[in-house]
């Protein structure tokens, strides 16, 4: 990398490029001297790189803004182009709805205003454009209130710029910025308060109405900005580097900024039906999602003593780094620990990362990314961050009873993966008291599931060794044994069945074809022994042959899957097939899930059969004590949904290809027609048409282009037919899934609910560990290491007084809400049928509430 690129990229960092000098002013001077000379002969290289640095390292925008202000003193033309390019990029981002780019470019323009590069009034015009669009959107008569998410986002962008430039705007254009603030306040008075019901990590399915009284994210940000204004716009988290160069920057020319226009309203104004409103609202929230939902998991005495606006700014820094450096986790961790702030923020950093890991309906990136970032941060800050993460885990564990089921699953997966990178070391003795809790208590189930996932990532003996400080927890480890082959020599099974199994193994060893095996089954086995024994022999034997490894299983299914497919042609038979698989792998939840998933991929098992098996009596009793049936159900629904998603992407790609093919065919036809209409002289005589050789070539091109267009159209028709079938399939799946939930919940809810509630009075105190009495969260102030708590709790732990049926209902309702939320985009497309066949008048209120929460649909509809 050339030196000027290194200096630009590392600006603001203590690094070799700046000889270890961490003074921002000196770094800007050094960088300015080199970049200024480089622009003279490599402007085309410097221009895009400088913009890219500002956009993708937004926590360093004050440094880049000051640098550009200094460049503006000597090269106004270069800076003018940069301002114009930024305005064009912002307009494009607004048109395409690129939330992060809009937010960052507005911050960049704000900082350029501070460095005297653009006029403050021009920035206010942009604010007013966004404000006007937002106010129109939420207007009941002129706008489309269902798209409030976009309007809220625009207002958030305005407010989030003020920590970087509020002081300058108030000083230079006080009346204009006051007008904006009044407009924001007016907007807040007419918009609807946004409830986090359905997407909050901590939420009681029965108490979702309580959150309506709390401030939503935009109201909270407004209160933080007001607090900043009351304190004279002074904050610690934004370096005001332009002040160090103010005497120089004031001489620069302030460039004008072209106004931007917001996209048109996404539809005609007017009243909408409840369903149409819900669909549009869901679409808007997907396109303009809320960036963060704070967990507030640490006690106030444990978090850094920050001003309200400083917390917001540091969160912005952390989220920006996570977003823009998602492809390079080590750089990401390095930037996260080196933010340009003068205070410590380890607790806030941990809470922000966990807020993304547990963000609902889904995090911006796959959970594995946050796992790796946390691992790298623990290595980068070995003396502080591991203890903070341990505190976060303890805090989440203490509140696990109220944690959303989807978040609980993510936390289990994260915990096991994280510990696998640190030799599975954890003070398990702190949690040994869970053995005294009922087997359905969420904390006990959490420990059990973490240990089960750890075994998957290692091996049984290793995990047993890791809990040697709490040997009693061995009770929660999964079974140690391998597969349970029904026809093993030592098993007391029927000799005839064992002989059939041996014969089948010999056929596999003899590389008999699937057709030969089918004939053997139909002629020799099925007539004499019936379906159940035949299925058991075939499935158990083939699974045993494929049990050595995942590759062996795939090979067996690919070679002899037709045999199973021939036997199991309907859902009843496929349910029995799944029962055989779960019987064979009864000691391994992982292999059960893998085998069923692979069989679904090969179309040996339908998703409807999996739903029926999951909700069979065999599994109903495990809903609240094991994640195993839910994992299998998640895989089945996810696979079905992914098929339809892939088909839609392929159709979208083919539609674009058709446009290109039509253009190519039209262009080829025009060239041929033009060539044929020209007069040419051949052998001294005028002839209509160009050279015959060229005419022939053009005809060939035109025919090929037409054939290509026809081929693409045929592919599109085939994909559309597959999509129509897939839509019918997923509709049938969701109806079956919801009806199964309703049937399973009907009787338990009737028996367990008391006056419409599942929790006894005072449940918040009874079911959680008293946080004030627990020293598990406390860090020793001398060495910053977590203090050990007593194996049975650090204080007097209160009892868990939900009975089993109540916990079963709460867990099942939690999963119902989680499935609904995860696939809400697809469910909204089938909502009329769901309303007609599932959400009838007889539906239990708690079931209705779980589904409505998952869809973020108002109950009063």
């Amino acid at each position: 990398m050339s030196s000027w690129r290194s200096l630009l990229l590392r600006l603001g960092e203590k690094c070799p490029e700046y000889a270890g000098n961490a003074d921002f002013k000196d770094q800007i001077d050094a960088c300015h001297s080199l970049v200024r000379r480089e622009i003279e002969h490599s402007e085309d290289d410097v221009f895009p790189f400088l913009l890219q640095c500002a956009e993708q390292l937004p926590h360093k925008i004050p440094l880049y803004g000051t640098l550009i202000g200094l460049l503006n003193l000597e090269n106004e033309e270069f800076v003018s182009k940069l301002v114009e390019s930024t305005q064009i990029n912002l307009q494009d981002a607004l048109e395409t709805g690129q939330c992060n780019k809009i937010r960052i470019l507005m911050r960049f323009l704000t900082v350029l205003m501070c460095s005297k590069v653009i006029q403050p009034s021009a920035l206010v015009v942009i604010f007013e454009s966004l404000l006007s669009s937002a106010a129109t959107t939420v207007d009941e008569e002129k706008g489309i209130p269902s798209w409030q998410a976009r309007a809220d986002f625009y207002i958030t962008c305005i407010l989030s710029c003020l920590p970087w430039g509020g002081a300058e705007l108030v000083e230079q254009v006080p009346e204009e910025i006051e007008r904006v603030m009044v407009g924001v306040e007016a907007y807040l008075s007419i918009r609807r308060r946004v409830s986090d019901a359905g997407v909050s990590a901590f939420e009681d399915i029965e108490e979702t109405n309580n959150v309506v009284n709390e401030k939503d994210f935009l109201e909270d940000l407004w209160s933080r900005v007001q607090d900043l204004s009351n304190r004279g716009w002074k904050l610690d988290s934004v370096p005001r580097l332009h002040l160090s160069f103010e005497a120089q920057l004031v001489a620069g020319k302030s460039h004008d900024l072209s106004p931007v226009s917001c996209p048109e309203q996404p539809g005609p104004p007017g009243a909408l039906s409840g369903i149409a409103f819900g669909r549009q609202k869901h679409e808007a929230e997907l396109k303009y999602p809320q960036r963060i939902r704070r967990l507030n998991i640490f006690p106030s005495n444990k978090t850094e003593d920050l001003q309200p606006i400083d917390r917001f700014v540091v969160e912005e820094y952390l989220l920006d780094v996570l977003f823009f450096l998602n492809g390079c986790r080590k750089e990401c961790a390095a930037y996260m620990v080196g933010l340009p702030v003068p205070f410590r923020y380890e607790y806030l950093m941990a809470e922000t990362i966990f807020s993304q890991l547990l963000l609902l309906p889904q995090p911006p990136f796959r959970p594995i990314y946050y796992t790796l970032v946390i691992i790298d941060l623990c290595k980068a800050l070995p003396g502080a961050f591991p203890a903070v993460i341990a505190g976060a885990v303890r805090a989440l564990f203490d509140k696990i009873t109220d944690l959303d089921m989807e978040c609980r699953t993510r936390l289990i997966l994260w915990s096991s993966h994280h510990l696998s990178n640190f030799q599975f070391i954890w003070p398990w003795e702190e949690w040994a008291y869970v053995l005294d809790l009922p087997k359905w208590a969420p904390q006990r189930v959490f420990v059990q599931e973490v240990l089960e996932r750890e075994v998957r990532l290692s091996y049984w003996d290793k995990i047993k060794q890791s809990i040697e400080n709490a040997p009693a927890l061995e009770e929660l480890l999964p079974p140690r044994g391998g597969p349970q082959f029904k026809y093993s020599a030592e098993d007391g099974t029927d000799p005839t069945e064992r002989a059939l199994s041996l014969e089948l193994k010999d056929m596999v060893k003899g590389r008999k074809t699937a057709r030969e095996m089918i004939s053997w089954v139909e002629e020799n086995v099925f007539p004499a022994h019936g379906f159940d024994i035949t299925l058991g022999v075939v499935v158990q034997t083939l699974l045993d042959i494929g049990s050595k490894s995942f590759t062996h299983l795939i090979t067996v299914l690919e070679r002899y899957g037709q045999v199973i497919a021939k036997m199991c042609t309907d859902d009843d038979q496929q349910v029995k097939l799944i029962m055989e698989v779960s019987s064979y792998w009864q000691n391994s939840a992982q292999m059960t899930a893998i085998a069923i998933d692979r069989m679904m991929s090969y179309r040996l098992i339908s998703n409807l059969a999996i739903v029926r098996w999951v909700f069979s009596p065999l599994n109903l009793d495990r809903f609240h004590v094991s994640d195993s049936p839910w994992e299998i159900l998640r895989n089945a629904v996810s696979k079905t949904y992914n098929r339809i998603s892939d088909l839609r992407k392929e159709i979208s790609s083919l539609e674009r290809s058709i446009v290109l093919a039509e253009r190519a065919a039209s262009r080829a036809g025009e060239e041929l027609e033009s060539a044929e209409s020209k007069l040419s002289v051949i052998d001294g005589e005028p002839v209509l048409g160009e050279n015959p050789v060229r005419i022939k070539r053009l005809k060939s091109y035109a025919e090929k282009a037409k054939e290509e267009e026809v081929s693409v159209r045929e592919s599109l028709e085939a994909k559309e037919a597959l999509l129509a079938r897939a839509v019918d399939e997923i509709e049938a799946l969701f109806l079956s899934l919801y009806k199964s939930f309703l049937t399973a919940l009907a009787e338990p809810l009737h028996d367990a609910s008391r006056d419409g509630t599942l929790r006894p009075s005072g449940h918040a105190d009874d079911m959680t560990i008293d946080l004030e009495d627990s020293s598990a969260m406390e860090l020793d102030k001398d060495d910053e290491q977590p203090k050990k708590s007593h194996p049975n709790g650090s204080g007097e732990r209160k009892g868990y007084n939900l009975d089993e049926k109540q916990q079963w209902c709460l867990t099942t309702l939690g999963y119902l809400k989680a499935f609904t939320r995860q696939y809400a985009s697809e469910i909204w497309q089938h909502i009329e049928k769901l309303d007609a066949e599932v959400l009838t008048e007889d539906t239990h209120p708690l079931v209705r509430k779980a589904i409505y929460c998952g869809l973020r649909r108002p109950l009063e509809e």
Side-chain angles (χ1 to χ4, degrees):
M1 185 181 292
S2 57
S3 58
W4 67 268
R5 291 179 191 269
S6 298
L7 287 179
L8 269 178
L9 190 63
R10 298 299 178 188
L11 185 61
E13 301 174 31
K14 187 175 181 179
C15 56
E17 283 83 355
Y18 289 99
N21 184 357
D23 183 79
F24 287 164
K25 187 177 186 302
D26 292 343
Q27 288 192 2
I28 291 173
D29 281 332
C31 187
H32 168 245
S33 299
L34 188 59
V35 171
R36 180 190 60 191
R37 292 194 298 271
E38 193 67 30
I39 290 175
E40 295 175 2
H41 53 82
S42 301
E43 180 178 324
D44 291 342
D45 293 331
V46 176
F47 183 86
F49 191 78
L50 180 54
L51 273 181
Q52 193 177 12
C53 285
E55 289 182 19
Q56 297 187 21
L57 297 172
H59 63 286
K60 297 201 282 188
I61 278 180
L63 288 91
Y64 294 120
T66 305
L67 173 65
I68 293 168
L70 293 174
L71 293 173
N72 186 45
L73 298 174
E74 299 154 349
N75 197 331
E76 292 179 1
E77 184 181 354
F78 173 83
V79 175
S80 176
K81 289 180 184 177
L82 190 145
V83 170
E84 182 183 357
S85 178
T86 302
Q87 188 274 337
I88 292 171
N89 290 342
L90 176 59
Q91 184 63 60
D92 290 344
L94 284 167
E95 294 292 341
T96 54
Q98 300 177 64
C99 293
N100 282 295
K101 196 164 189 177
I102 296 169
R103 190 175 41 76
I104 295 304
L105 289 176
M106 287 187 62
R107 186 192 304 174
F108 184 42
L109 289 173
T110 302
V111 171
L112 290 180
M113 179 273 301
C114 295
S115 298
K116 314 299 182 185
V117 174
I118 64 173
Q119 297 282 355
S121 56
L123 184 64
V124 172
V125 169
I126 293 180
F127 287 173
E128 290 180 330
S129 296
L130 295 178
L131 183 56
S132 173
S133 174
T136 303
T137 298
V138 298
D139 188 283
E140 295 287 346
E141 296 179 359
K142 301 178 183 178
I144 306 179
S146 57
W147 275 78
Q148 181 179 312
R150 184 174 76 177
D152 281 356
F153 170 72
Y154 286 169
I155 302 301
T156 300
C157 287
I158 296 171
L159 294 178
S160 64
C161 288
L162 297 181
W164 280 265
E168 283 71 20
L169 288 169
V170 169
E171 179 185 343
Q172 299 176 41
V173 285
E175 294 180 1
E176 287 90 336
I177 193 61
E178 178 63 23
R179 190 169 64 240
V180 170
M181 299 293 274
V182 170
V184 170
E185 194 166 16
Y187 171 82
L188 289 169
S189 69
I190 62 174
R191 69 186 278 274
R192 295 184 182 183
R193 175 173 285 175
V194 177
S195 167
D196 277 347
V199 288
S200 173
F202 298 104
E203 184 176 326
D204 185 339
I205 193 69
E206 301 176 280
E207 298 183 352
T208 53
N209 294 330
N210 294 344
V211 299
V212 177
N213 299 321
E214 300 175 1
K215 288 180 182 178
D216 64 18
F217 181 80
L218 185 56
E219 292 169 334
D220 176 78
L221 177 56
W222 172 244
S223 68
R224 291 171 190 264
V225 170
Q226 284 183 309
D227 177 76
L228 175 63
S229 174
N230 294 335
R231 290 189 293 106
W233 301 96
K234 295 177 181 177
L235 70 167
D236 298 326
S237 51
V238 176
R240 298 171 58 78
L241 303 170
H242 59 280
L243 297 179
S244 302
F245 299 90
E246 192 169 21
Q248 298 165 257
L249 294 175
V250 74
K253 175 187 176 182
S254 292
H255 302 270
D256 204 7
L257 189 65
S258 301
V260 297
S261 58
C262 296
E264 296 294 325
Q265 300 295 328
L272 296 172
S273 67
I275 288 178
F277 184 92
R279 282 190 179 125
Q280 288 191 9
K281 178 174 176 287
H282 176 74
E283 182 185 352
E285 287 171 349
L286 281 182
K287 193 166 185 179
Y288 298 92
Q290 186 173 314
R291 259 188 123 194
I292 187 173
R293 290 187 175 86
R294 298 184 181 97
L295 294 176
N296 298 317
I297 53 177
F298 292 114
S300 57
N301 65 328
K302 287 297 177 187
T303 53
E304 293 84 6
D305 184 20
L306 305 181
Q307 297 294 337
I309 197 65
D310 283 325
R311 176 179 178 124
F312 168 77
V313 170
V314 174
E315 286 173 345
E316 287 285 286
Y317 286 154
L318 294 168
L319 294 176
D320 289 339
V321 171
L322 283 168
F323 179 80
F324 287 105
L325 294 171
N326 68 85
C328 186
R329 63 182 231 229
K330 291 191 180 296
E331 283 284 312
C332 175
Y335 277 119
M336 288 183 81
V337 301
L339 296 181
V341 295
F343 46 77
R344 296 184 64 172
Y345 52 90
E346 288 91 349
Y347 282 97
L348 180 53
M349 182 159 61
E351 191 167 293
T352 302
I353 297 173
F354 275 108
S355 75
Q356 295 297 284
L357 176 67
L358 303 180
L359 187 65
L360 297 172
Q362 59 185 14
F365 302 101
R366 292 189 177 189
I368 182 68
Y369 170 53
Y370 304 104
T371 306
L372 297 174
V373 169
I374 290 173
I375 290 169
D376 286 329
L377 287 172
C378 286
K379 294 175 180 177
L381 298 172
F385 203 64
V388 174
I389 289 296
V393 173
R394 292 183 176 100
L396 289 167
F397 181 73
D398 287 347
K399 301 171 74 173
I400 202 77
T401 299
D402 295 321
L403 190 62
D404 180 89
M405 294 309 300
E406 166 69 16
C407 294
R408 202 179 297 183
T409 301
R410 289 188 207 166
L411 187 61
I412 288 167
L413 296 175
W414 170 82
S415 300
S416 56
H417 190 182
H418 180 79
L419 292 176
S420 72
N421 283 272
F422 295 95
Q423 292 86 45
F424 298 99
I425 296 172
W426 179 256
W428 290 106
E429 64 274 12
E430 293 181 9
W431 291 351
Y433 70 88
V434 300
L435 292 171
D436 300 327
L437 300 176
K439 66 177 182 179
W440 58 85
Q443 289 185 328
R444 178 179 174 132
V445 174
F446 177 83
V447 173
Q448 171 187 299
E449 292 299 324
V450 170
L451 291 173
E452 194 275 331
R453 291 285 177 170
E454 285 187 350
V455 170
R456 296 190 189 191
L457 297 171
S458 183
Y459 53 94
W460 196 91
D461 288 326
K462 172 68 175 175
I463 305 308
K464 181 189 174 184
Q465 182 183 358
S466 72
I467 58 172
E468 59 185 8
N469 290 338
L473 286 178
E474 184 179 340
E475 179 184 333
L476 300 183
L477 285 174
R480 184 178 187 178
Q484 296 293 302
F485 183 41
K486 192 186 295 185
Y487 307 109
S488 58
E490 61 273 10
D491 202 345
T493 52
D494 187 287
T496 306
E497 295 175 24
R498 195 181 309 135
L500 290 171
S501 175
L502 290 171
E503 186 175 350
L504 183 58
K505 280 190 174 182
D506 290 339
M507 293 178 72
V508 173
K509 288 178 182 177
R511 296 192 173 275
K512 298 291 184 182
T513 64
R515 189 183 296 261
E516 290 174 312
M517 196 175 289
I518 290 171
S519 299
W520 175 76
V521 168
E522 291 178 342
E523 295 170 8
N524 299 346
V525 187
F526 183 75
H529 301 280
F531 177 79
D532 290 348
I533 291 177
T534 304
L535 180 69
V537 168
V538 172
V539 174
Q540 290 259 340
T541 305
L542 291 179
L543 286 175
D544 197 55
I545 294 169
S547 64
K548 290 183 180 179
S549 69
F550 179 71
T551 306
H552 281 75
L553 174 65
I554 297 300
T555 302
V556 166
L557 291 178
E558 286 180 348
R559 189 173 297 170
Y560 298 110
Q562 297 173 35
V563 181
I564 299 174
K566 185 77 173 175
M567 295 174 61
C568 303
T569 55
D570 59 38
D571 288 345
D572 290 334
Q573 293 170 333
Q574 290 173 10
V575 169
K576 291 182 178 180
L577 166 59
I578 300 172
M579 291 173 68
E580 288 294 340
V581 174
S582 64
S583 171
Y584 180 82
W585 285 114
Q586 60 188 269
N587 291 334
S588 175
Q590 180 182 23
M591 286 308 301
T592 301
I594 288 174
I596 293 173
D597 182 72
R598 289 296 89 196
M599 286 184 172
M600 182 178 169
S601 296
Y602 290 120
R603 301 278 184 175
L604 306 181
I605 297 173
S606 72
N607 47 29
L608 296 179
I610 292 175
V611 170
R612 282 185 54 183
W613 176 78
V614 168
F615 286 90
S616 66
L618 176 71
N619 291 306
L620 285 176
D621 291 341
R622 299 197 296 151
F623 275 13
H624 57 320
V625 295
S626 173
D627 186 58
S628 178
W630 299 113
E631 178 186 8
I632 292 166
L633 186 59
R634 282 195 300 269
N635 290 345
V637 180
S638 174
K639 193 174 288 291
T640 306
Y641 178 76
N642 288 341
R643 284 175 186 165
I644 203 169
S645 298
D646 291 344
L647 281 170
R648 286 189 177 125
K649 290 176 185 175
E650 290 171 11
I651 286 173
S652 178
S653 175
L654 285 170
E655 287 172 344
R656 290 193 295 270
S657 298
I658 281 180
V659 173
L660 296 175
E662 285 175 344
R663 289 176 184 170
S666 174
R667 190 164 53 247
E670 288 172 0
E671 288 181 4
L672 176 60
E673 185 178 341
S674 174
E676 289 177 336
S677 63
K678 288 182 179 178
L679 282 173
S680 300
V681 177
I682 300 179
D683 296 332
E685 297 290 331
V687 178
L688 188 65
E690 288 189 359
N691 188 310
V693 175
R694 186 168 186 270
I695 295 287
K696 184 178 180 181
R697 186 171 67 251
L698 289 174
K699 280 184 178 178
S700 174
Y701 288 161
E703 288 171 1
K704 286 181 180 178
K706 195 65 181 176
E707 288 173 3
E708 177 66 22
E709 181 185 349
V710 171
S711 174
V712 174
R713 288 189 182 280
E714 289 175 350
S715 298
L716 179 61
E717 289 174 5
K719 293 293 182 184
E720 286 176 339
L722 287 173
L723 178 62
R725 194 167 68 189
V727 168
D728 291 341
E729 180 185 357
I730 203 166
E731 182 183 86
L733 172 63
F734 282 129
L735 287 174
S736 173
L737 181 62
Y738 281 113
K739 288 176 180 177
S740 297
F741 267 113
L742 258 65
T743 303
L745 282 161
E747 185 179 341
L749 276 177
H750 180 268
D751 295 342
S753 60
R754 304 163 184 170
D755 300 325
T757 180
L758 290 170
R759 296 189 187 273
S761 60
H763 70 270
D765 291 332
D766 292 331
M767 289 193 305
T768 57
I769 296 165
D770 189 341
L771 200 59
E772 293 180 3
D773 289 343
S774 174
S775 65
M777 283 286 303
E778 295 180 9
L779 301 180
D780 188 297
K781 293 182 180 178
D782 295 329
D783 57 10
E784 291 295 308
Q785 295 301 312
K787 292 180 180 177
K788 302 228 174 170
S789 17
H790 191 274
N792 293 321
S794 56
E796 183 182 345
R797 298 184 181 270
K798 299 186 178 181
Y800 179 87
N801 65 345
L802 276 187
D803 66 35
E804 184 169 11
K805 190 163 287 188
Q806 289 172 322
Q807 184 60 56
W808 185 94
C809 290
L810 283 172
T811 301
T812 307
L813 286 169
Y815 277 112
L816 172 59
K817 181 176 72 172
F819 274 106
T820 304
R821 180 177 53 227
Q822 186 172 359
Y823 301 103
S825 297
E826 197 63 39
I827 292 168
W828 271 112
Q829 299 185 36
H830 306 280
I831 197 68
E832 291 88 356
K833 198 147 191 177
L834 186 68
D835 282 349
E837 299 189 24
V838 177
L839 297 172
T840 62
E841 292 182 0
D842 299 332
T843 303
H844 194 284
L846 289 180
V847 173
R848 182 183 297 274
K849 183 175 283 189
I851 296 174
Y852 274 49
C853 276
L855 294 172
R856 303 197 74 187
R857 184 181 183 184
L859 273 170
E860 56 270 16
E861 234 181 62

